[in-house]
Amino acid sequence: MTVSWHPVANAQPSEWVLSQGALGLPYAVVRRFAFGDPNRPDVWYRVVTWAPGSDGRELIGWCRTLEAAAAVAWDHRCAAESWRHHMAARRSDTATMAAKRPSAAELVRFYRAALAAQGVRPLRASPPRTTMER
């Protein structure tokens, strides 16, 4: 008797590269971390900006669910584009933009606050955690 088992049956995804559309450029990387007891792990999702290598990535935040992580990654993408357009409209050069660019987590906080002020509900109401505090 043979058992139809394959190693993929035990495999779990641990990293997602998020991009818009089939041919879109990546905008974030979400990685799953499990801490503590292997039978009842404490699961967190770390969200970082996308770059080809780890050294070019910036922490956006830590989330408790994959859905929240994807939402904060999308909000960062929207916030970064909005900020870039705002700076370009003021005819800022690249060096000035780089010097004034806020952190990824700050961009998300500001973007979500601006949406709330307009009466628009973001995908996830609470901000991401920048540390794994409870």
Side-chain angles (χ1 to χ4, degrees), residues 3 16 33 39 42 46 49 64 69 91 96 102 107 126 132:
V3 177
W16 296 262
F33 289 89
N39 295 323
D42 193 14
R46 184 187 68 195
T49 59
R64 295 295 289 178
R91 306 281 190 233
T96 302
L107 273 174
S126 61
M132 292 191 319

Side-chain angles (χ1 to χ4, degrees), residues 30-125:
V30 176
R31 179 166 275 185
R32 179 184 184 271
F33 289 89
F35 301 98
D37 182 1
N39 295 323
R40 292 181 47 102
D42 193 14
V43 177
W44 287 85
Y45 296 87
R46 184 187 68 195
V47 186
V48 296
T49 59
W50 186 88
S54 295
D55 56 333
R57 296 177 181 172
E58 182 182 356
L59 178 67
I60 298 171
W62 290 86
C63 299
R64 295 295 289 178
T65 66
L66 180 58
E67 291 80 9
V72 77
W74 180 256
D75 284 352
H76 175 267
R77 182 187 181 284
C78 294
E81 284 298 309
S82 178
W83 183 84
R84 189 180 64 78
H85 285 287
H86 172 76
M87 293 300 287
R90 291 178 164 36
R91 306 281 190 233
S92 298
D93 60 25
T94 307
T96 302
M97 289 174 73
K100 291 185 174 185
R101 187 180 176 281
S103 71
E106 273 304 304
L107 273 174
V108 171
R109 281 190 205 97
F110 179 79
Y111 177 75
R112 288 181 170 182
L115 286 178
Q118 296 172 7
V120 178
R121 186 171 175 234
L123 293 174
R124 182 172 182 258

Side-chain angles (χ1 to χ4, degrees), residues 3-10:
V3 177
S4 61
W5 178 85
H6 193 275
V8 79
N10 285 343

